[in-house]
Amino acid sequence: MAVLDGFYVSSAAGGIDNPNLGDASMGFSLDWWPPYASLVANADITPVVSDLPVSANPTTRTGFGVNSYRGDFYNRIHINPQRIDLGNVVSEQVTAVRVFNAFFEPRQLNEITGVDEGINIQGPNVPPYSYPALTEDEWFIAVQPQGPATVNADIAWVFDVQTVAVPVTGTRVIGWPFAVAWSQPVVETLAWATDVLRSPTGTEQRRALRLAPRRGLSAVYKLQGRERQLLEHTLVGWGSRSFAVPIAPDVQWLATELNAGVSRVPCDTAGYDFEVGGLVMLYIDAFTWEVAQIDVIDATGLDTARPLQNAWRRGTKIYPVRSAHLVQQPELLRYHDQASEFEVSWTLLDVCDWPAEMPAAEYQGFPVLEQHPEESTNLTHSFARLLLELDNGSNAPRRMDTADRGFDLREHRWLLEGVEEKDQSRRLLYALRGRQVPLWVPTFASDLTINQIVTESATTLSVDNVGYARFVSGRPERSHIRIQLLDGTVWYREITGAAEQDDDTEQVQIDSSLGQQIAPNQVRMISYLVLCRLDDDGVEIEHETNTIARCGLVFRGVNDDV
């Protein structure tokens, strides 16, 4: 038989003499709880006596009421949104504002204040009236493009117990409705700001002062008839204010008809100056155009924040738009009483960001510019030196080259064809950030000429004697070369030494072999590689047409210890 260990469980009373139990309960002689039914049946029954109220000893406590959601939300007036920032107002902009009476009783709306010129407001009723309890109504604030140049209003709902207001800010901008003549290039300028600290040895510390460049446009216009008259009145009435200026080099044409009320504009977007929150213009002539705000951009087109107000035929021009003001008032060249020509220079007010991208080729930690220059016109090349001249006015002046180095100043031009090439060029410019960021720039000239076969394991090149060993051996500004074959193969190498063999030949040593045997007739050119930055923070892009542009830069050699 199995033996199990166990224990007795105490009764509910737990052996405590409880003075609150009646005599009848205490009279039980129990060995188990609850009591047996036989014991309960024999117990004396006494009536229940109420001792209420129970007396207590009162004490004083200090405390405070705790806030609840009721106190935070109710018994006040709520308004949403808290602020309206319209940005550039080029067409009517309507914004919904919700006003909620969170009181448990109706409140009196006495008036709405702050409705300035060019602003309209519509709602469910006209003040004064009794605003129902726990009711939210929607009001619509419409800001027109006609009015003061700056929108700065505080629209307030004045209740009998509280006043709630929403600030409305923005800038009224009218569209520049005149098309570029294209008789001369449209010139686009990009201006960075770089703080360059240069030591006497030429070593530099370069610091960018702008996150994005300032951008400008210059273009020629030819107007006649009604357009010339419209121009006169536009310049007189709005000449000092901001305009929504179409970016002429990024023009494209609508491929399909658009009905009024649609919000989708099909067009190319890659490489064009569209941005979410920016503007787009649909344009036929100076009197038939529309500007809309961009809400969504994808590869096949863009969605506008509000439906288009007009229908647009196939062939309508599509422009990205930037806010800008005139650099100076234009001077009109009068042909006769009905026609004028003039040039306009704009300063764009928007932040003009663009993706930054350096060339993929790399050498010793710096990118290499592999795009050959366009040489339809002669390119310039010179050297800058850090010369310190002492002249007491009596003896011959004494001159010292503090850096003992010639810094290349080399002109480089591009002919850009198509949106993709213009986009890539702009990406490079944004990566260079004016004078801040360096890269390797080949001379793209035949600087050394091989006169013997180079084996695959050779680290010595036999070249025509052009004074390399005599003048520049060991100088960092001429210690790196780019070797290009006729088949397009390119190597980058560092020259580690040189020696003159005879009047016709000298030998240069390179840091590593080419890994391939080459003959002199296979080499297209051997050019020097120079580590450079831009010589100026300002860059000009000349747009000959909407697809062809020219860009010229001057690169300056730097002493960055490579």
Side-chain angles (χ1 to χ4, degrees):
M1 179 176 178
V3 178
L4 301 177
D5 294 329
F7 58 89
Y8 286 102
V9 178
S10 300
S11 68
I16 300 174
D17 185 10
N18 190 343
N20 297 317
L21 296 179
D23 293 339
S25 296
M26 296 302 297
F28 288 130
S29 177
L30 303 176
D31 60 0
W32 196 262
W33 188 267
Y36 301 113
S38 59
L39 294 177
V40 175
N42 296 329
D44 295 334
I45 298 175
T46 59
V48 177
V49 178
S50 174
D51 292 326
L52 297 176
V54 178
S55 61
N57 295 324
T59 58
T60 302
R61 298 287 187 269
T62 302
F64 58 89
V66 178
N67 290 333
S68 66
Y69 179 76
R70 175 190 176 101
D72 293 336
F73 185 78
Y74 291 100
N75 295 317
R76 66 194 65 199
I77 305 296
H78 297 276
I79 189 169
N80 188 44
Q82 302 290 323
R83 181 183 184 87
I84 300 175
D85 187 1
L86 299 172
N88 294 323
V89 180
V90 293
S91 59
E92 183 183 47
Q93 296 196 23
V94 180
T95 305
V97 176
R98 295 180 295 278
V99 179
F100 178 57
N101 175 18
F103 285 89
F104 294 97
E105 62 275 344
R107 289 299 179 185
Q108 183 75 9
L109 176 58
N110 295 324
E111 61 178 335
I112 299 177
T113 62
V115 182
D116 296 338
E117 178 186 355
I119 300 177
N120 298 321
I121 186 168
Q122 294 181 348
N125 213 330
V126 179
Y129 71 95
S130 179
Y131 212 101
L134 302 177
T135 299
E136 182 181 69
D137 285 334
E138 196 168 44
W139 300 76
F140 296 94
I141 299 176
V143 179
Q144 309 292 334
Q146 296 80 23
T150 301
V151 180
N152 188 12
D154 284 320
I155 301 179
W157 283 255
V158 182
F159 287 84
D160 56 346
V161 292
Q162 183 183 350
T163 298
V164 292
V166 54
V168 181
T169 58
T171 303
R172 285 187 170 91
V173 179
I174 68 168
W176 179 257
F178 308 109
V180 171
W182 289 110
S183 58
Q184 297 182 27
V186 175
V187 179
E188 177 183 357
T189 59
L190 299 171
W192 283 265
T194 309
D195 181 23
V196 179
L197 301 177
R198 182 186 298 116
S199 72
T201 63
T203 304
E204 295 178 342
Q205 178 182 347
R206 300 177 292 272
R207 181 167 59 100
L209 302 180
R210 292 177 186 162
L211 296 178
R214 290 181 181 175
R215 190 176 175 196
L217 283 177
S218 297
V220 173
Y221 300 84
K222 295 181 179 180
L223 304 178
Q224 62 180 352
R226 287 183 64 199
E227 290 188 353
R228 187 201 63 82
Q229 296 168 342
L230 175 62
L231 169 71
E232 292 275 353
H233 298 149
T234 300
L235 294 178
V236 170
W238 204 275
S240 62
R241 301 183 182 182
S242 298
F243 292 86
V245 179
I247 307 301
D250 283 357
V251 65
Q252 50 187 306
W253 288 263
L254 194 62
T256 59
E257 294 183 356
L258 293 181
N259 297 322
V262 302
S263 299
R264 179 71 177 177
V265 179
C267 62
D268 295 330
T269 57
Y272 289 88
D273 194 18
F274 294 114
E275 66 172 357
V276 174
L279 303 173
V280 59
M281 175 183 282
L282 299 172
Y283 181 91
I284 294 178
D285 56 42
F287 300 93
T288 311
W289 53 273
E290 181 177 349
V291 175
Q293 187 174 14
I294 301 172
D295 187 48
V296 177
I297 298 176
D298 55 42
T300 60
L302 49 89
D303 296 333
T304 58
R306 294 176 176 84
L308 299 177
Q309 300 178 1
N310 305 299
W312 298 98
R313 69 187 184 215
R314 181 180 178 183
T316 298
K317 294 179 180 178
I318 305 172
Y319 291 104
V321 172
R322 291 287 188 173
S323 176
H325 61 63
L326 293 167
V327 175
Q328 60 184 9
Q329 299 301 300
E331 181 179 284
L332 277 65
L333 176 63
R334 173 170 168 163
Y335 290 154
H336 50 76
D337 62 341
Q338 289 293 323
S340 295
E341 176 183 333
F342 61 98
E343 182 177 359
V344 170
S345 295
W346 301 99
T347 296
L348 275 60
L349 305 179
D350 301 330
V351 177
C352 299
D353 285 322
W354 205 269
E357 183 179 340
M358 280 290 195
E362 189 173 293
Y363 172 60
Q364 292 194 358
F366 293 93
V368 182
L369 181 64
E370 278 293 337
Q371 189 173 5
H372 285 248
E374 186 270 321
E375 300 187 58
S376 61
T377 57
N378 296 330
L379 300 175
T380 62
H381 174 219
S382 63
F383 296 95
R385 290 190 175 273
L386 302 182
L387 299 178
L388 180 62
E389 187 171 286
L390 301 177
D391 187 357
N392 59 14
S394 300
N395 295 327
R398 181 178 181 182
R399 177 178 292 180
M400 179 186 301
D401 188 349
T402 61
D404 190 26
R405 182 168 181 164
F407 296 94
D408 282 70
L409 288 175
R410 188 173 299 275
E411 186 180 12
H412 201 102
R413 291 202 193 103
W414 289 278
L415 177 62
L416 309 171
E417 185 175 359
V419 175
E420 184 177 351
E421 287 189 9
K422 292 199 296 182
D423 174 52
Q424 288 299 321
S425 176
R426 195 183 300 271
R427 288 171 182 260
L428 173 62
L429 296 176
Y430 272 75
L432 293 174
R433 294 200 294 271
R435 296 182 293 164
Q436 187 186 17
V437 181
L439 81 167
W440 291 106
V441 179
T443 62
F444 292 109
S446 182
D447 297 317
L448 296 174
T449 304
I450 293 178
N451 54 29
Q452 292 182 15
I453 293 176
V454 180
T455 64
E456 61 181 12
S457 60
T459 57
T460 299
L461 308 181
S462 179
V463 299
D464 292 345
N465 190 342
V466 290
Y468 183 91
R470 180 181 180 186
F471 293 107
V472 298
S473 179
R475 302 188 65 87
E477 61 266 44
R478 286 296 180 264
S479 293
H480 305 273
I481 57 174
R482 174 185 183 271
I483 304 172
Q484 181 180 359
L485 302 186
L486 293 174
D487 62 6
T489 303
V490 173
W491 292 282
Y492 309 121
R493 291 295 184 267
E494 181 177 358
I495 297 177
T496 58
E500 185 175 338
Q501 300 300 304
D502 53 41
D503 291 342
D504 297 323
T505 304
E506 54 186 335
Q507 290 185 337
V508 295
Q509 287 77 43
I510 56 178
D511 57 344
S512 62
S513 63
L514 303 181
Q516 175 182 335
Q517 179 173 301
I518 60 173
N521 61 0
Q522 293 179 270
V523 179
R524 179 181 178 185
M525 67 174 66
I526 299 178
S527 306
Y528 291 122
L529 280 173
V530 184
L531 191 64
C532 297
R533 60 165 171 83
L534 291 185
D535 188 47
D536 197 291
D537 280 323
V539 176
E540 285 192 358
I541 304 174
E542 294 184 355
H543 298 272
E544 303 282 353
T545 67
N546 64 302
T547 58
I548 297 177
R550 297 179 184 273
C551 180
L553 305 174
V554 175
F555 288 100
R556 181 190 180 97
V558 296
N559 180 9
D560 278 16
D561 297 329
V562 293

